Amino acid sequence: MTVIIAGAGIGGLTTALMCHARGIPCVIYEAAREVREVGVGINVLPHAIRELAGLGLLPALDKVGVRTRKLTYLTRQGQEVWSELRGMHAGHEVPQFSIHRGRLQKAIHDAVIDRLGPGAIRTGRRLAGFVQDEAGVTAHFTDAAEGGAGETVRGEVLICADGIHSAGRRVFYPNEGAPSWQGVVMWRGAAEWPVWEDGESMAIGGGLGGKFVLYPIAPATGKTQLMNWVVNVRIKDPAVSTPPPDNWSRQAPLANVLPHALRFHVPGMDIAGLVRATPAIYEYPMADRDPLPRWTFGRVTLLGDAAHPMYPVGSNGASQAILDARCLADALAGAEHPRAALWAYEKERLPKTADVVRTNRVGGPERVIDAVEKLAPAGFRDIDKVLSHEDRKAIVGGYAAMAGFSQVRRAS
Ligand SMILES: Cc1cc2nc3c(=O)[nH]c(=O)nc-3n(C[C@H](O)[C@H](O)[C@H](O)COP(=O)(O)OP(=O)(O)OC[C@H]3O[C@@H](n4cnc5c(N)ncnc54)[C@H](O)[C@@H]3O)c2cc1C
């Protein structure tokens, strides 16, 4: 069996490693002309790190990422709503990582090249269409540089891991249109900055209508560390305005974000200074898509953001793509027929990821901040009198259970 994968993001690359580990040949076709370290910070949860650890990637992640120790939820004014240990500090057998998205992608990419060979990733190849028959699927990739001949390839299955604007998804759902947007704009950036707190912890201040996210994404070098930040603010009415262009690499001027950033307070952090020191600020609409009734059509299926793009809440975007990859590779290795494998994968993963998409829309675990801010908009003296510890725990712990990372099995 040969597996054709469209997209060399975290989902597609991990799928390739998982297939290779099970003796299943595969080739990745990536639209970008080269795989560059694009993006800023991302978190990967223990249940997904367990899968990367099983692929032998922990040493590579330790070189470039941070093992997350603690997560604190704050009100916009900086009052603590909830704090919890994360990863191994919380008893998991593997860490949570806070990491630069591009460096995570590169770590997985390098492993693919190392194990599958340099020909395993064909760059500058954009999925344009496919046909399938009883014996296999034929996929056509155009030359992304335009002008070249493109490439037509035959395999047993096609995995569309081609992101939120998936060409594969568009074939099956031609009338779906643009991603769904509720008026929230995200500004993201990272700057070298004096180590904050213990250099391993993250903070999220504010809820759905406006929040500030802060965490380090690289090991400290001396007294400084690459510090990632995100400001999310609902600034537009989606009924009357169109979202800004959803290009992950689009930069915005400081003046767009600074007034919003100044609305937040995180103890011990000079937010305005950090934002001002950031060399490149990226603007992106917070968007997702409705869960689909099905991902699999014969020998073709969807994976990662192509299947279930979600709000970047609760650290699940990359994590769920990695879990998809493990499940799909297991199914391909175990099933009698490729079509049965794709169905088994969908049956396992579609309902779980649909739950995460829906829960993230209403704030995910960060709902706990919304709940407290609603009850005590001017702040509080005693958080337990605003919302009991049990009630706060139910919101945060309920999300962890739903997203599948409240318990982690040993890496296998
Ligand atoms: C450039 C970029 C920057 C990002 N930055 C951040 C960030 O800073 N923070 C964050 O939380 N999330 C970020 N994300 C999203 C995050 O990576 C995903 O939510 C998550 O990792 C799931 O990954 P995925 O592999 O399913 O999709 P993606 O990471 O979107 O990867 C999809 C891949 O498919 C390729 N592709 C697209 N169309 C085609 C096609 N027709 N044919 C072949 N290949 C195609 C894309 O170039 C990309 O490499 C970014 C995504 C991208 C693409």
Side-chain angles (χ1 to χ4, degrees):
M1 130 140 56
T2 297
V3 173
I4 306 167
I5 300 169
I10 286 148
L13 290 166
T14 307
T15 304
L17 285 183
M18 291 284 183
C19 285
H20 177 73
R22 289 157 184 75
I24 303 169
C26 57
V27 185
I28 305 181
Y29 293 81
E30 163 59 46
R33 292 171 76 179
E34 55 177 328
V35 176
R36 288 185 299 118
E37 292 188 10
V38 193
V40 245
I42 211 165
N43 266 273
V44 186
L45 297 166
H47 58 351
I49 290 297
R50 170 181 167 269
E51 303 304 344
L52 299 184
L55 290 167
L57 293 178
L58 263 191
L61 299 185
D62 271 320
K63 276 194 194 138
V64 292
V66 173
R67 292 182 174 217
T68 319
R69 196 177 77 79
K70 192 178 70 174
L71 166 62
T72 303
Y73 292 128
L74 306 162
T75 61
R76 273 162 240 209
Q77 300 98 330
Q79 287 195 289
E80 185 173 312
V81 167
W82 182 260
S83 188
E84 63 184 22
L85 294 172
R86 303 290 282 195
M88 295 176 83
H89 302 277
H92 292 280
E93 283 165 336
V94 290
Q96 170 175 335
F97 269 95
S98 300
I99 193 165
H100 188 290
R101 178 210 175 259
R103 292 178 191 167
L104 168 65
Q105 185 186 19
K106 177 147 193 320
I108 309 172
H109 170 269
D110 288 354
V112 171
I113 298 293
D114 192 44
R115 296 174 198 182
L116 281 74
I121 305 177
R122 313 264 308 143
T123 53
R125 295 281 180 267
R126 180 177 293 281
L127 179 67
F130 46 83
V131 286
Q132 46 181 320
D133 51 47
E134 268 310 298
V137 53
T138 304
H140 183 64
F141 295 87
T142 54
D143 183 341
E146 288 169 15
E151 205 169 325
T152 298
V153 57
R154 178 96 176 147
E156 267 72 39
V157 292
L158 168 65
I159 315 298
C160 302
D162 50 348
I164 189 167
H165 298 292
S166 167
R169 181 172 176 138
R170 208 161 41 243
V171 168
F172 299 127
Y173 298 95
N175 301 320
E176 193 180 29
S180 150
W181 182 64
Q182 300 304 318
V184 176
V185 172
M186 301 195 288
W187 291 276
R188 305 167 298 128
E192 205 55 35
W193 193 254
V195 174
W196 176 71
E197 287 211 331
D198 55 13
E200 302 171 325
S201 293
M202 57 190 292
I204 299 181
L208 252 191
K211 79 175 171 188
F212 185 80
V213 182
L214 182 72
Y215 54 89
I217 52 172
T221 47
K223 291 192 172 153
T224 67
Q225 187 170 26
L226 189 61
M227 199 68 185
N228 181 82
W229 59 267
V230 186
V231 173
N232 283 0
V233 180
R234 193 183 302 282
I235 55 163
K236 301 220 166 133
D237 177 354
V240 292
S241 34
T242 51
D246 51 352
N247 170 352
W248 284 107
S249 305
R250 196 171 61 83
Q251 294 190 23
L254 175 69
N256 280 19
V257 62
L258 197 57
H260 299 295
L262 292 172
R263 290 165 49 188
F264 301 93
H265 178 71
V266 173
M269 173 53 66
D270 170 10
I271 292 178
L274 175 67
V275 171
R276 279 200 183 95
T278 302
I281 296 172
Y282 300 96
E283 187 177 88
Y284 191 83
M286 191 159 108
D288 68 358
R289 290 184 185 276
D290 289 339
L292 292 174
R294 57 190 278 203
W295 300 342
T296 298
F297 295 81
R299 292 169 175 272
V300 184
T301 196
L302 310 175
L303 181 141
D305 276 8
H308 46 69
M310 54 184 65
Y311 283 176
V313 166
S315 312
N316 263 297
S319 302
Q320 295 295 332
I322 291 166
L323 297 182
D324 288 351
R326 165 72 193 256
C327 177
L328 179 54
D330 278 352
L332 287 169
E336 281 181 11
H337 193 283
R339 281 199 303 250
L342 300 195
W343 273 116
Y345 151 75
E346 171 180 319
K347 196 168 156 222
E348 170 71 19
R349 295 294 302 152
L350 192 152
K352 289 182 178 164
T353 53
D355 280 350
V356 183
V357 171
R358 288 192 200 97
T359 313
N360 282 8
R361 273 190 185 169
V362 291
E366 294 148 30
R367 251 182 345 107
V368 73
I369 308 173
D370 286 310
V372 168
E373 285 192 334
K374 204 165 162 194
L375 291 166
F380 49 80
R381 285 226 171 107
D382 181 353
I383 179 70
D384 290 322
K385 292 203 173 121
V386 181
L387 196 63
S388 73
H389 183 270
E390 285 65 35
D391 286 346
R392 284 176 282 140
K393 188 175 174 185
I395 296 174
V396 180
Y399 183 84
M402 181 277 305
F405 65 98
S406 50
Q407 289 193 333
V408 174
R409 287 173 289 131
R410 194 169 288 285
S412 58

